[in-house]
């Protein structure tokens, strides 16, 4: 059932592989008073555009590690995404552990399929382009889509900005539902592509006769 509840966007986490349109989108969020958390190359692009940004490592108090394999897998990120806002126990836990709410996640995933199409690409490079943190954030936000806006495609930026401007920085429950459902289409496609490639290049290759 689609309701008319509006969710105010106060803090957004932006971490994108495809940076198409992200600077303009982040600038609109900043203009609307949204605090922006970000990682790596995305944070660099936003800083270069003079958009205030807080590095996720500064926010969590824990550095990126393992050559960037671990960046956003932290309770201060996933707690802020998954907490039920109308559950007093959840909110008390956030307060106890000094975890802030995150109202929007803007994530698109490592280019796995594009990487597999590179001539002569190694299996090691392909595996490094299996995104872990991105799908985890998308799924956390989508699971809690009643309270968190989750943006996984660049094509959504324009309509979201329009709605935020029309509603003084808030998004409708209908929009949050649509965004949340869209995530599982995206992540299922991504996982299916990984499965197809690894099955063909590891399992079937190993079982092929010499």
């Amino acid at each position: 059932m689609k309701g008319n509840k509006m969710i105010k966007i106060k803090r957004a986490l932006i971490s994108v592989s495809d940076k198409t349109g992200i600077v303009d989108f982040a600038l609109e969020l900043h203009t609307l008073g949204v605090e922006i958390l970000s990682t790596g190359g995305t944070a660099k692009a936003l800083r270069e555009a003079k958009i205030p940004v807080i590095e996720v490592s500064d926010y969590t108090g824990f550095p990126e590690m393992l050559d960037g394999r671990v960046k956003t897998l932290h309770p201060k990120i996933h707690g802020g995404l998954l907490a039920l806002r109308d559950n007093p126990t959840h909110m008390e836990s956030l307060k106890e552990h000094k975890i802030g709410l995150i109202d929007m996640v803007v994530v698109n995933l490592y280019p796995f399929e594009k990487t597999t199409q590179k001539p002569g690409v190694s299996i090691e490079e392909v595996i490094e382009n299996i995104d872990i943190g991105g799908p985890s954030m998308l799924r956390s936000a989508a699971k809690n889509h009643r309270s968190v806006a989750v943006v996984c495609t660049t094509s959504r930026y324009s309509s979201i900005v329009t709605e935020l401007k029309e509603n003084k920085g808030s998004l409708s429950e209908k929009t949050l539902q649509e965004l949340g459902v869209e995530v599982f289409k995206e992540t299922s496609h991504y996982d299916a592509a990984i499965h197809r490639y690894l099955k063909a290049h590891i399992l079937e290759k190993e079982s092929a006769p010499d």
Side-chain angles (χ1 to χ4, degrees), residues 1-120:
M1 184 175 181
K2 295 177 179 178
N4 297 315
K5 180 182 176 184
M6 303 296 292
I7 299 297
K8 180 79 170 178
I9 306 301
K10 299 176 183 177
R11 177 180 289 126
L13 195 161
I14 305 177
S15 182
V16 293
S17 177
D18 179 359
K19 295 176 177 55
T20 304
I22 196 60
V23 168
D24 290 341
F25 184 59
L27 181 59
E28 295 285 5
L29 293 179
H30 171 62
T31 301
L32 288 162
V34 177
E35 179 183 80
I36 297 174
L37 312 177
S38 193
T39 61
T42 305
K44 182 174 182 288
L46 300 185
R47 281 196 303 269
E48 287 175 352
K50 310 299 183 188
I51 299 170
V53 59
I54 299 170
E55 287 270 3
V56 162
S57 56
D58 293 331
Y59 183 74
T60 63
F62 205 90
E64 292 186 15
M65 61 187 300
L66 307 181
D67 298 319
R69 280 188 167 203
V70 177
K71 291 181 280 196
T72 57
L73 299 170
H74 193 282
K76 284 196 76 170
I77 300 302
H78 289 275
L81 294 174
L82 283 164
L84 296 173
R85 275 57 168 169
D86 57 358
N87 184 317
T89 303
H90 283 203
M91 299 309 290
E92 187 60 33
S93 291
L94 293 193
K95 183 178 179 182
E96 179 184 353
H97 296 287
K98 298 180 173 60
I99 296 175
L101 296 173
I102 298 173
D103 311 298
M104 175 182 281
V105 166
V106 185
V107 167
N108 54 58
L109 305 175
Y110 291 173
F112 179 83
E113 288 181 280
K114 186 176 180 181
T115 300
T116 65
Q117 294 162 9
K118 291 168 59 175

Side-chain angles (χ1 to χ4, degrees), residues 45 86 93 101 108 121 130 145 151 162 206:
D86 57 358
S93 291
L101 296 173
N108 54 58
V121 68
I130 297 175
H145 65 265
V151 187
T162 298
E206 288 183 353

Side-chain angles (χ1 to χ4, degrees), residues 120-135:
V121 68
S122 67
I123 189 72
E124 290 79 14
E125 183 177 353
V126 170
I127 286 173
E128 285 307 310
N129 276 276
I130 297 175
D131 203 328
I132 303 300

Side-chain angles (χ1 to χ4, degrees), residues 147-161:
S147 300
V148 182
V150 53
V151 187
C152 64
T153 59
T154 60
S155 61
R156 282 285 189 173
Y157 295 167
S158 179
S159 62
I160 289 171
V161 166

